[in-house]
Amino acid sequence: MSPRFEPITGRYLDLTLLDRPHRLYIEEAGQGIPLLCLHTAGSDGRQYRGLLNDKRIIDNYRVIVFDMPWHGKSSPPEGYQNEEYKLTSHGYIQMILEIADALELDRPVVMGCSIGGRIVLYLAHQHAKRFRAIIGLESAAHVAPYYDVEWLHRPDVHGGEVSAGVVSGLIAPTAPDNHRWETLWHYLQSGPGIFKGDLHFYKVDGDIRGKIDEIDGRASNLYLLTGEYDYSCTSEGTLDIARRTGAQATIMKGLGHFPMSEDPPKFISYLLPVLEKIRGAA
Amino acid sequence: MIERIPDMVNSDAHLIRRGRFLSTTFLVEIGDRGYLIKIIEGRVVSITPGPFVTPNYSFALRAPRDEWEMFWKKVPEPGHNDIFALFKRGKLKIEGDLHPFMANLLYIKDVLAAPRKEAA
């Protein structure tokens, strides 16, 4: 294989987030409508590598992916050694709005997966006007705990290995091996307790069941895409949100909980029509 | 299918390497039939079918027969592709000392799914 640079640019942004100085890692590619992408719990922006490299997308969209603080190449804030990381709905919403402002994004499209698929429901509920369209991947209003998350962060179990072990079955069995293991690698690399801290939002703090009926899926241009193999955010859960909000939902065949990372070409075949629709409405 | 696990695991050098720190015996129940799976340093050294008088094991995984059959299909249907999918649906029960299970989760998932390699 001859060497080639991908069209992605990665940079560090120093900014104040939630009243604290942060050093944030951001990747982007393309030009046009800003498309701000949110990764899953315990992972990082590399999940969107397929989108950032797809000419059909980056010809018309400026794809922007940040690693949340504590994730990927973004640092935890100063003093992290004296606190327990716990993501909350309030902190997560503020983070997204403040990053969009710092980048001076003009009514971006926001797309998030899993915890990102949950927080975009909050954005559709509270901040719809700030976004041109909202795309939820693997969106569920709530997921009850089905295993003890204490296993994810203790010194006698490798945190990365157990996190990858927990999520491995959420990948569709038909996903190509290279993308399956790349997706797992991001979990294998995650910082200690970070997946667990994100799940605080996913399973405890971020229960939006009581507000679903207040979301106007049509006015907020809400699109929901869920993989059929996702047993965490189920197809039924997504279709229920669509029914109650008027959002447009698609159940994706042969995909699981990490569609953009576990099988990028298959996912992009589902995403392109949505992006075309959003572009047509602009 | 479960009888195929030792051959499928022991012929996979990479899987053995990933499980090299695990030596334990665990119980798998397929409906009312129990099997003790003994692992030493990542190799499956025996599978002993019940009935047992005083079975000694670290942890147990119990699911109805039809659930295991769906789980062992070459390409399982949604909801049947992973032991966590089974227990989220309330079809699989896990109990006992979960430390060896969680500390070796990727390995144990692959041991349990090994019969898929030969499934029709």
Side-chain angles (χ1 to χ4, degrees):
Chain A
M1 184 166 95
S2 56
R4 67 164 189 101
F5 278 112
E6 298 183 7
I8 304 170
T9 305
R11 287 193 296 177
Y12 288 92
L13 179 68
D14 295 318
L15 81 170
T16 300
L17 272 183
L18 302 157
D19 302 320
R20 297 172 82 179
H22 274 273
R23 184 167 191 257
L24 204 73
Y25 181 67
I26 302 181
E27 290 184 343
E28 69 168 89
Q31 52 202 341
I33 299 170
L35 171 61
L36 186 61
C37 301
L38 314 172
H39 59 74
T40 66
S43 184
D44 60 61
R46 284 175 294 179
Q47 290 183 320
Y48 287 97
R49 66 198 178 282
L51 269 69
L52 288 157
N53 271 297
D54 195 298
K55 192 173 180 321
R56 295 166 297 173
I57 294 174
I58 61 178
D59 274 354
N60 298 302
Y61 281 87
R62 176 185 169 201
V63 183
I64 304 155
V65 187
F66 64 90
D67 291 349
M68 288 165 69
W70 310 76
H71 298 70
K73 290 170 79 162
S74 291
S75 296
E78 193 179 318
Y80 79 88
Q81 68 276 17
N82 296 321
E83 61 188 277
E84 184 182 0
Y85 171 70
K86 272 188 182 176
L87 185 67
T88 64
S89 50
H90 170 74
Y92 197 4
I93 292 166
Q94 276 308 112
M95 177 200 313
I96 295 163
L97 298 180
E98 289 178 18
I99 290 170
D101 284 344
L103 297 174
E104 299 177 346
L105 303 181
D106 175 27
R107 293 189 69 231
V109 178
V110 64
M111 174 165 72
C113 185
S114 184
I115 56 167
R118 176 83 53 79
I119 205 66
V120 299
L121 300 177
Y122 282 86
L123 296 177
H125 181 253
Q126 298 170 24
H127 300 284
K129 286 195 167 56
R130 294 196 46 156
F131 298 94
R132 190 176 311 236
I134 295 173
I135 304 172
L137 311 176
E138 318 308 316
S139 292
H142 174 70
V143 173
Y146 56 97
Y147 60 91
D148 182 359
V149 295
E150 287 298 322
W151 287 106
L152 300 177
H153 189 207
R154 46 187 280 170
D156 58 350
V157 175
H158 188 288
E161 300 242 17
V162 70
S163 297
V166 164
V167 302
S168 67
L170 291 167
I171 299 172
T174 48
D177 247 14
N178 59 338
H179 288 303
R180 167 191 308 280
W181 284 95
E182 170 79 24
T183 302
L184 291 178
W185 183 250
H186 309 156
Y187 279 86
L188 290 162
Q189 281 193 313
S190 64
I194 301 311
F195 183 38
K196 179 179 174 230
D198 286 338
L199 292 181
H200 175 71
F201 164 70
Y202 190 60
K203 298 191 175 186
V204 182
D205 177 83
D207 181 350
I208 195 172
R209 281 176 292 184
K211 294 172 183 151
I212 292 294
D213 291 324
E214 298 166 13
I215 296 173
D216 186 339
R218 290 181 189 86
S220 58
N221 290 317
L222 179 61
Y223 296 86
L224 303 172
L225 299 167
T226 292
E228 61 170 346
Y229 275 98
D230 189 345
Y231 53 78
S232 180
C233 303
T234 61
S235 303
E236 297 75 41
T238 295
L239 294 172
D240 181 56
I241 298 170
R243 209 163 26 242
R244 289 161 58 186
T245 62
Q248 298 187 44
T250 304
I251 303 306
M252 301 181 286
K253 294 275 176 200
L255 288 166
H257 188 76
F258 309 97
M260 64 291 185
S261 185
E262 66 183 62
D263 194 341
K266 190 173 282 178
F267 169 63
I268 289 169
S269 73
Y270 282 100
L271 179 65
L272 278 174
V274 172
L275 293 181
E276 282 305 306
K277 221 180 266 184
I278 293 169
R279 206 157 65 89
Chain B
M1 292 293 268
I2 194 167
E3 296 84 356
R4 299 293 301 133
I5 284 182
D7 283 350
M8 303 309 297
V9 172
N10 296 339
S11 61
D12 185 340
H14 299 299
L15 189 53
I16 292 170
R17 179 181 55 81
R18 282 163 47 204
R20 68 195 179 282
F21 293 108
L22 180 65
S23 295
T24 192
T25 299
F26 64 96
L27 177 73
V28 173
E29 267 187 13
I30 301 176
D32 55 8
R33 192 83 197 267
Y35 297 84
L36 285 171
I37 301 182
K38 183 175 184 178
I39 291 176
I40 295 180
E41 294 180 354
R43 286 175 193 277
V44 181
V45 296
S46 65
I47 291 199
T48 311
F52 309 110
V53 182
T54 52
N56 190 4
Y57 52 85
S58 51
F59 60 89
L61 306 168
R62 309 175 200 273
R65 176 169 296 278
D66 60 336
E67 287 291 337
W68 285 113
E69 284 169 359
M70 296 282 280
F71 174 79
W72 279 322
K73 282 191 171 176
K74 195 169 196 70
V75 181
E77 303 281 322
H80 300 274
N81 58 308
D82 190 83
I83 50 175
F84 275 49
L86 268 61
F87 74 70
K88 181 147 189 281
R89 289 190 295 109
K91 300 296 184 186
L92 178 88
K93 291 207 170 15
I94 302 183
E95 59 189 46
D97 175 12
L98 295 196
H99 186 270
F101 174 74
M102 294 302 283
N104 297 277
L105 188 53
L106 270 174
Y107 165 80
I108 287 171
K109 280 187 172 187
D110 283 350
V111 167
L112 290 169
R116 280 183 197 158
K117 288 183 200 166
E118 281 195 340

